[in-house]
């Protein structure tokens, strides 16, 4: 039988270095659950906070951010995002969520930035343990794409 090449070994080592450790994955799951509770307290149980993107489909790298979307709150005007009064509502909802995130001792937040003028506004949250979150409000298209 043929021994794998040096390139194979390097790729395996690189993948091991880039893959989040079980401890990091567990911490991310805890952060998602804490943020889910904060979201429920802010907007009620009709909404859902879900991961999407690389974390949701198991392709996240060790230092990837967690992309999280709040669904069931507002539906975008177009696939590109919110406009007019709906954009203002999204800003208000994210500002309220930002205050609750900053006041949560369970999250251990280092910094929060509100990217207001993106097509889909985002809260960028950095935890003291360097977990990074991008939180947005949208519809179910992002979570469907992840699954």
């Amino acid at each position: 039988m043929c021994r794998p090449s040096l390139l194979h070994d390097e790729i395996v080592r690189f993948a091991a270095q880039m893959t989040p450790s079980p401890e990091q994955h567990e911490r991310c799951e805890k952060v998602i659950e804490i943020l889910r509770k904060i979201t429920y307290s802010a907007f009620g149980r009709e909404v859902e906070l879900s991961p999407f993107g690389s974390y949701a489909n198991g392709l996240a790298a060790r230092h990837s951010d967690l992309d999280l979307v709040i669904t069931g709150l507002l539906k975008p005007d177009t696939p590109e995002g919110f406009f007019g009064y709906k954009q203002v509502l999204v800003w208000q909802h994210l500002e309220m969520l930002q205050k609750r995130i900053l006041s949560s001792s369970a999250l251990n937040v280092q910094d929060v930035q509100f990217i207001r003028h993106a097509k889909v506004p985002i809260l960028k949250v950095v935890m003291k343990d360097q977990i990074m979150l991008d939180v947005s409000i949208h519809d179910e298209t992002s979570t469907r794409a992840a699954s």
Side-chain angles (χ1 to χ4, degrees):
M1 184 160 166
C2 193
R3 175 173 153 32
S5 70
L6 290 175
L7 177 60
H8 170 86
D9 293 341
E10 287 180 31
I11 291 171
V12 169
R13 276 194 303 277
F14 177 74
Q17 289 172 346
M18 293 303 294
T19 302
S21 69
E23 295 81 18
Q24 288 171 317
H25 182 75
E26 183 179 323
R27 176 69 180 128
C28 288
E29 288 296 315
K30 286 181 183 175
V31 167
I32 291 169
E33 193 52 41
I34 292 166
L35 194 55
R36 189 171 281 134
K37 289 177 183 174
I38 291 170
T39 302
Y40 288 155
S41 74
F43 306 118
R45 293 269 178 185
E46 311 79 54
V47 301
E48 184 60 45
L49 177 90
S50 304
F52 70 101
S54 62
Y55 184 82
N57 58 34
L59 297 174
R62 187 172 293 248
H63 299 290
S64 295
D65 58 1
L66 285 171
D67 296 310
L68 303 169
V69 63
I70 299 168
T71 58
L73 191 57
L74 289 170
K75 188 165 181 75
D77 298 304
T78 70
E80 287 80 37
F82 297 95
F83 301 96
Y85 80 94
K86 280 190 179 177
Q87 188 175 44
V88 174
L89 287 174
V90 168
W91 293 344
Q92 291 170 345
H93 290 318
L94 288 175
E95 285 170 346
M96 178 176 49
L97 188 62
Q98 179 180 13
K99 289 176 187 170
R100 290 182 183 228
I101 288 171
L102 285 168
S103 68
S104 170
S105 60
L107 282 178
N108 209 9
V109 173
Q110 177 178 319
D111 187 40
V112 179
Q113 293 182 0
F114 182 14
I115 311 301
R116 176 184 300 263
H117 293 290
K119 286 182 181 180
V120 177
I122 294 174
L123 281 181
K124 295 186 92 41
V125 182
V126 179
M127 317 294 273
K128 289 183 180 170
D129 61 2
Q130 298 308 303
I131 292 176
M132 297 174 286
L133 313 171
D134 285 351
V135 183
S136 61
I137 296 172
H138 213 273
D139 60 11
E140 293 78 17
T141 55
S142 53
T143 54
R144 279 197 310 255
S147 63

